[in-house]
Amino acid sequence: MADALRSLAERGRLDIPDLETAIIQLYALLVFPHMVFSSYGTALDDATTDRLITSGVDMFLGHYAPGGRRPAGGDLR
């Protein structure tokens, strides 16, 4: 994952100032919902899984798009 994201950043396809954080964020968007549900003995259906993956990747790519506006230091103003 790190190599793929680093390569995209080097080619200017993504603007990732902190690769370690970006990797954790992407995994959290894609894996965490399944971990939470499975810890309670339930599972996400295929349609929900598809929506979560698609929207999670869209959110990630939108956040790290070149020229995107990310608040510095968590400032949401």
Side-chain angles (χ1 to χ4, degrees):
M1 179 68 66
D3 289 341
L5 292 177
R6 185 179 297 110
S7 175
L8 289 167
E10 288 171 353
R11 294 186 345 232
R13 302 292 307 264
L14 295 175
D15 180 13
I16 302 176
D18 182 346
L19 187 61
E20 182 178 17
T21 296
I23 292 166
I24 294 168
Q25 289 169 333
L26 184 57
Y27 276 122
L29 287 167
L30 302 180
V31 177
F32 188 72
H34 299 284
M35 292 174 57
V36 170
F37 275 77
S38 67
S39 71
Y40 291 105
T42 59
L44 296 171
D45 60 48
D46 289 344
T48 302
T49 296
D50 287 345
R51 287 194 316 274
L52 284 169
I53 290 172
T54 300
S55 64
V57 169
D58 286 347
M59 184 185 310
F60 182 87
L61 293 176
H63 182 75
Y64 288 109
R69 295 184 48 209
R70 287 184 302 284
D75 184 3
L76 299 177
R77 288 178 276 148

